Amino acid sequence: MERDKNFVLGIYDDEDVLLSAVTKVRESGVKIHEVYSPYPVHGLEHNLGYRRSRLPIAAFLFGLLGTTLALTMQFYMMKYDWPLNIGGKDHAPIPNFIPVTFELTVLLAAFGMVAVFLISSNLKPWAQPRLFDLRSTDDKHVMAIDLVYNSAIERDRIVEVLKSSGASEINNKTFE
Amino acid sequence: MQVTSPVREPLVTGGKTYKDITHDVSRQVEGKPSVSWLIGMAVALGVLLLGSIALVATLWEGIGMWGLNKTVGWAWDITNFVWWVGIGHAGTLISAVLLLFRQKWRTSINRAAEAMTIFAVICAAMFPVIHMGRPWLGAYWALPLPNTFGSLWVNFNSPLLWDVFAISTYFSVSLVFWYIGLIPDFATIRDRATGIRKSIYGALSMGWDGAAKTWMRYEAVSLILAGLATPLVLSVHTIVSFDFATSVIPGWHTTIFPPYFVAGAIFSGFAMVLTLMIITRHVFGLKDYITMGHIELMNIVIIITGSIVGIAYITEFFIAWYSGVEAEQYAFVNRMFGPYWWAYWSMMTCNVISPQLFWFKKIRTSIAATFILSIVVNIGMWFERFVIIVTSLHRDFLPSSWVMFYPTLSDVGIYLFTFGLFSTLFLLFAKFFPVINMAEVKSVLKSSSEPKVNNYNGKR
């Protein structure tokens, strides 16, 4: 058998059962491939042991880029390239540059972060998702366990662990 | 473990299950358009067509078609612009500010409110663009591009240019925020669909699979976008108010403008959300999701922001008197008792008196009263902008230049055009997109819904 092809799925109806099930399954030594949910379940990423997302850092860096670009652009255009005499006022009035600087900071932070999110999560219009169970976008939580990755543990043992953790259904899923 | 508080009103009534949510919301997208939708669409397209005559005429002939003159250089165009931008503000407030404050009731209304924001901003942005007269050259005046004669740049000292940046950032960030929220729901529809619909919603859902890791990132993105959108929404109407406040026209040159405009924007926006939501919940049968509790909470926001607006009107008046500046004093007396007295008193009645009726529980929990008052508030908010703009301009420092402003058919027609555009876009959204954020409503269902069986002896 090949890895990443053969799965056993535990289907859960309730988010709280799922949360404790994730802990139980991991404690029994079974490695979870991924959990698919119709809505965000708070604490699930923690129970699965995922590292905190670093997207906020991406947002900050893109925001910083926006601030720098905006200030550079305004100083260059207003003070160096073509200084305009507007009622004898300062060519580089910093307070007047704040609104555009703020807007560009927000714009780049938002767009940059969202771009990183889409790329890192492989979200694109032509993406063909691998769906384990269609009900995972409706009303069921689906826990996928890779059989080959867990080959040290027998399939029956995995099924037993899933059952005792509160799974309402246990299915097999094989991808071509 | 989440615990249901028996004190709180349930957010979702009727003992809905997760499957019911999927079904109730997706049904609108999957079914054939209803008769009421088709009638609505026909009316919207009719208005759009009628308005586009005025729009084409203005683009062809120039803005001389409008009622503007040498003294009143800004009138309906900027009034409508500020009015539409203001309406947009409620959507971001609901989706971003209420997210930061962890207000769960936002979940069933945020999708439609954000759609309203995006469409309202499109309508708003049309006015300054048309007012350019030759919008096809507008890029040289609005964007930081050197002009054709050399590297003369746009003026970064001008609030009008700040507006270009503020409105376009606001529009694009709102659009992205809205779309990110739509992706999981498109996936839900994709997984229920077959054939061509499956591929369309498949492309729209960008291959979403609901993996816990993606949800974790999605939550991080939502939180940061909300954190970015909150100061953004405040900045937008602040900058819009700078268009007036940084000038030296009596009645405009006041420091109270930014907070006063932001409060007014949220006030009118919530009124528009109520107008749209009351229709949507009725037509689509979503009364268990957009409950009386939601309507009441929105009415409370209207009381608060309406009172802030009322206090701002009185403060403005007091400061005009207290300043001792004659021109300023005259501007305000002229607003009240001058030739545009009717606009001023319409504004005062609609914006200051009518929202106070919501203090009565009977009125704020009545669908009919809320619907009527929500429209009254938006009429009032339109008059507010008209009063600020036209009454301040029509009698300024030079009495020999005092004139009246009268709108022409083109002014009215372009305003109608935006109504047609807004309604068309909103109806398209309501038919082809899930009007309620299914994933988010599901995430609060367990903690905040009415149980199927009443366990509390008939009471909750």
Side-chain angles (χ1 to χ4, degrees):
Chain A
M1 278 203 295
E2 250 183 290
R3 199 168 147 170
D4 215 28
K5 296 271 187 234
N6 296 284
F7 294 90
V8 59
L9 309 177
I11 314 281
Y12 296 85
D13 298 339
D14 186 279
E15 61 195 60
D16 294 318
V17 175
L18 173 77
L19 280 175
S20 58
V22 167
T23 316
K24 276 183 208 154
V25 171
R26 291 186 70 210
E27 276 170 0
S28 73
V30 177
K31 292 184 190 71
I32 299 171
H33 172 72
E34 182 57 295
V35 177
Y36 300 89
S37 298
Y39 56 88
V41 178
H42 290 277
L44 185 60
E45 70 279 10
H46 177 256
N47 290 13
L48 281 166
Y50 289 158
R51 272 178 51 191
R52 249 181 82 176
S53 169
R54 283 166 296 176
L55 282 164
I57 301 170
F60 177 77
L61 293 177
F62 276 104
L64 212 60
L65 179 69
T67 315
T68 320
L69 271 180
L71 283 174
T72 318
M73 173 180 80
Q74 292 176 88
F75 272 105
Y76 168 73
M77 290 176 186
M78 294 278 98
K79 190 165 172 72
Y80 297 103
D81 195 46
W82 191 305
L84 272 179
N85 188 340
I86 301 164
K89 288 177 200 160
D90 188 0
H91 289 308
I94 293 171
N96 293 4
F97 290 171
I98 299 294
V100 170
T101 309
F102 171 77
E103 301 299 335
L104 285 180
T105 305
V106 168
L107 185 73
L108 263 78
F111 271 65
M113 173 184 60
V114 167
V116 173
F117 165 62
L118 294 179
I119 293 164
S120 62
S121 303
N122 194 27
L123 291 171
K124 52 196 177 213
W126 58 93
Q128 294 296 328
R130 208 167 61 157
L131 299 168
F132 288 85
D133 191 315
L134 287 184
R135 291 172 299 173
S136 73
T137 53
D138 181 6
D139 61 342
K140 303 284 187 211
H141 305 277
V142 177
M143 187 193 290
I145 291 164
D146 191 333
L147 281 172
V148 180
Y149 192 50
N150 284 293
S151 54
I153 309 166
E154 269 180 57
R155 188 183 177 277
D156 291 350
R157 168 81 189 125
I158 296 173
V159 170
E160 198 182 300
V161 168
L162 286 175
K163 246 186 201 141
S164 69
S165 72
S168 61
E169 257 178 66
I170 289 161
N171 299 330
N172 288 315
K173 182 84 187 176
T174 314
F175 290 101
E176 290 301 307
Chain B
M1 183 89 188
Q2 286 173 316
V3 180
T4 312
S5 159
V7 185
R8 294 230 180 232
E9 298 259 330
L11 294 179
V12 181
T13 57
K16 298 287 182 189
T17 61
Y18 295 113
K19 215 171 180 58
D20 291 336
I21 296 175
T22 311
H23 180 71
D24 290 348
V25 179
S26 309
R27 196 180 52 196
Q28 319 301 338
V29 182
E30 290 158 355
K32 279 216 165 69
S34 65
V35 179
S36 44
W37 186 86
L38 287 172
I39 294 170
M41 199 64 187
V43 174
L45 285 173
V47 173
L48 188 72
L49 203 70
L50 206 67
S52 53
I53 300 171
L55 179 68
V56 172
T58 303
L59 288 176
W60 190 260
E61 295 284 341
I63 51 166
M65 295 289 282
W66 292 355
L68 303 177
N69 49 51
K70 263 196 298 186
T71 310
V72 185
W74 269 6
W76 272 45
D77 53 333
I78 195 95
T79 302
N80 299 338
F81 162 73
V82 182
W83 189 74
W84 276 119
V85 177
I87 283 172
H89 277 49
T92 320
L93 192 93
I94 290 170
S95 61
V97 182
L98 297 186
L99 187 145
L100 293 183
F101 284 112
R102 301 276 179 224
Q103 294 291 307
K104 288 179 182 171
W105 60 277
R106 77 174 209 292
T107 51
S108 33
I109 50 171
N110 64 356
R111 170 74 43 79
E114 267 184 82
M116 178 198 79
T117 294
I118 289 159
F119 306 147
V121 174
I122 293 174
C123 291
M126 287 195 50
F127 288 98
V129 170
I130 302 167
H131 201 169
M132 285 174 177
R134 282 179 284 176
W136 47 94
L137 298 176
Y140 290 111
W141 308 325
L143 303 177
L145 296 172
N147 75 355
T148 46
F149 302 110
S151 54
L152 178 61
W153 302 97
V154 286
N155 183 5
F156 283 100
N157 299 298
S158 164
L160 296 177
L161 186 67
W162 304 345
D163 243 356
V164 173
F165 281 86
I167 301 287
S168 47
T169 301
Y170 182 47
F171 174 74
S172 37
V173 172
S174 301
L175 188 69
V176 164
F177 197 7
W178 185 61
Y179 197 82
I180 294 290
L182 273 163
I183 291 174
D185 282 3
F186 281 143
T188 302
I189 296 173
R190 169 198 70 199
D191 291 348
R192 286 163 60 93
T194 47
I196 182 87
R197 293 164 43 81
K198 197 178 182 72
S199 26
I200 292 172
Y201 286 101
L204 286 172
S205 66
M206 295 196 171
W208 178 270
D209 58 1
K213 188 161 257 165
T214 319
W215 273 122
M216 176 182 79
R217 293 181 182 137
Y218 170 94
E219 293 266 276
V221 166
S222 302
L223 191 65
I224 302 284
L225 279 180
L228 289 169
T230 300
L232 178 64
V233 68
L234 299 182
S235 85
V236 171
H237 232 59
T238 300
I239 293 175
V240 168
S241 81
F242 285 167
D243 291 348
F244 307 102
T246 56
S247 73
V248 290
I249 304 290
W252 287 6
H253 189 62
T254 53
T255 49
I256 200 178
F257 262 32
Y260 153 34
F261 267 51
V262 171
I266 294 162
F267 178 55
S268 67
F270 267 83
M272 188 59 113
V273 172
L274 278 166
T275 312
L276 294 173
M277 282 303 164
I278 288 172
I279 299 172
T280 311
R281 83 196 275 271
H282 182 76
V283 172
F284 288 167
L286 296 169
K287 294 189 174 80
D288 287 324
Y289 301 99
I290 303 160
T291 63
M292 188 45 81
H294 288 100
I295 290 171
E296 199 183 342
L297 284 168
M298 287 194 267
N299 281 335
I300 291 170
V301 175
I302 288 193
I303 303 176
I304 296 166
T305 48
S307 304
I308 296 173
V309 168
I311 289 169
Y313 292 160
I314 296 162
T315 310
E316 221 182 12
F317 223 95
F318 170 76
I319 294 297
W321 167 75
Y322 191 66
S323 70
V325 179
E326 273 177 41
E328 197 75 28
Q329 287 170 344
Y330 177 75
F332 281 87
V333 172
N334 183 46
R335 274 184 194 179
M336 264 185 164
F337 304 112
Y340 286 112
W341 62 272
W342 46 271
Y344 181 82
W345 293 107
S346 308
M347 162 188 107
M348 285 306 255
T349 320
C350 297
N351 287 354
V352 183
I353 299 163
S354 76
Q356 301 303 326
L357 292 173
F358 283 137
W359 286 104
F360 298 103
K361 184 142 182 131
K362 262 221 161 68
I363 294 180
R364 71 169 183 267
T365 53
S366 151
I367 301 279
T370 305
F371 186 70
I372 294 165
L373 281 175
S374 71
I375 291 170
V376 166
V377 163
N378 263 322
I379 295 172
M381 283 309 288
W382 189 88
F383 273 116
E384 180 203 290
R385 279 68 180 248
F386 181 79
V387 164
I388 291 173
I389 292 156
V390 174
T391 65
S392 299
L393 283 175
H394 89 125
R395 289 187 173 177
D396 59 1
F397 306 101
L398 201 62
S400 62
S401 308
W402 287 5
V403 286
M404 291 291 285
F405 167 81
Y406 299 104
T408 61
L409 268 178
S410 292
D411 282 307
V412 183
I414 292 179
Y415 189 35
L416 270 183
F417 177 85
T418 53
F419 270 104
L421 184 67
F422 181 81
S423 322
T424 309
L425 290 171
F426 196 83
L427 282 165
L428 285 174
F429 155 75
K431 176 65 193 79
F432 296 107
F433 284 17
V435 281
I436 285 180
N437 193 329
M438 292 186 266
E440 285 199 1
V441 172
K442 283 174 191 168
S443 73
V444 300
L445 184 74
K446 200 175 175 194
S447 58
S448 319
S449 72
E450 199 175 56
K452 203 149 207 153
V453 190
N454 248 334
N455 302 323
Y456 301 91
N457 303 322
K459 274 192 211 161
R460 266 182 65 86

